[in-house]
């Protein structure tokens, strides 16, 4: 769903991911309660997407296997063009605070949190991930070239 007043373009050759030729995405906002991910160029909304979250979407991720999507400020820190979930962009969870909190509880904070596509068997299933943020594969094809490593991502309850 297109939002805001900014315009951008995607171009592609057959069989390749599109090339993004629009304004830089300077910030990603994830609004868990609205199941929405927004891409911003400074204060301008470029695009928003409907998302699925972890299978236990309420609350901040605090340990491996809890099914929660983390909350707080992170960065996109890696890319995986060969993901089991189509394409994926890594989120820098856990940060130092997440690790300290988990250690204080005597648990593993977990990791491997990504924005990724959707395997066929999960299409139409709400909040099915282990804590990741999922979009459709077509949307992931669009998103992957838009986002640079180092982009800030804020995940809100």
């Amino acid at each position: 769903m297109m939002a805001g007043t900014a315009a951008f373009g995607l171009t592609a050759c057959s069989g390749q991911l599109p090339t993004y030729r629009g304004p830089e995405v300077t910030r990603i906002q994830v609004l868990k309660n609205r199941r929405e991910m927004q891409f911003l160029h400074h204060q301008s909304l470029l695009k928003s997407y409907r998302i699925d979250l972890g299978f236990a979407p309420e609350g901040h991720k605090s340990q491996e296997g809890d099914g929660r999507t983390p909350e707080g400020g992170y960065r996109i820190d890696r890319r995986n063009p060969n993901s089991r979930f189509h394409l994926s962009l890594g989120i820098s969870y856990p940060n130092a605070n997440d690790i300290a909190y988990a250690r204080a509880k005597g648990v593993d904070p977990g990791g491997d949190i990504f924005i990724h596509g959707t395997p066929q068997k999960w299409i139409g299933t709400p909040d099915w991930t282990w804590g990741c943020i999922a979009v459709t594969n077509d949307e992931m094809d669009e998103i992957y070239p838009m986002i640079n490593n180092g982009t800030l991502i804020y995940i809100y309850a």
Side-chain angles (χ1 to χ4, degrees):
M1 136 170 65
M2 184 69 155
T5 59
F8 66 92
L10 293 167
T11 59
C13 295
S14 177
Q16 295 181 349
L17 287 176
T19 302
Y20 178 65
R21 299 194 190 285
E24 177 186 12
V25 176
T26 57
R27 177 184 172 117
I28 301 168
Q29 294 184 152
V30 175
L31 309 172
K32 288 172 57 173
N33 63 339
R34 291 174 37 183
R35 302 301 187 274
E36 182 179 5
M37 180 168 57
Q38 301 174 337
F39 291 175
L40 292 94
H41 174 72
H42 302 294
Q43 301 302 316
S44 297
L45 180 63
L46 298 173
K47 187 94 179 190
S48 70
Y49 298 89
R50 189 206 159 284
I51 59 171
D52 288 318
L53 300 169
F55 64 81
E58 301 299 319
H60 175 60
K61 182 167 197 61
S62 62
Q63 69 183 64
E64 179 74 31
D66 65 7
R68 293 190 174 125
T69 302
E71 296 171 358
Y74 301 93
R75 291 194 180 269
I76 299 300
D77 65 354
R78 60 202 181 280
R79 309 167 74 73
N80 185 356
N82 301 309
S83 171
R84 296 183 336 176
F85 300 100
H86 188 58
L87 298 166
S88 61
L89 298 168
I91 297 172
S92 63
Y93 174 89
N95 62 27
N97 289 337
D98 299 320
I99 292 167
Y101 181 77
R103 282 189 182 150
K105 289 179 52 182
V107 298
D108 182 337
D112 286 336
I113 302 298
F114 289 85
I115 299 169
H116 61 64
T118 308
Q120 197 65 27
K121 68 180 181 176
W122 296 108
I123 291 174
T125 305
D127 296 334
W128 56 272
T129 78
W130 284 87
C132 295
I133 299 162
V135 295
T136 69
N137 291 346
D138 287 344
E139 290 168 334
M140 200 62 214
D141 285 345
E142 181 177 287
I143 290 167
Y144 195 80
M146 291 174 73
I147 306 301
N148 296 316
N149 284 2
T151 301
L152 295 169
I153 178 168
Y154 293 94
I155 305 169
Y156 301 102

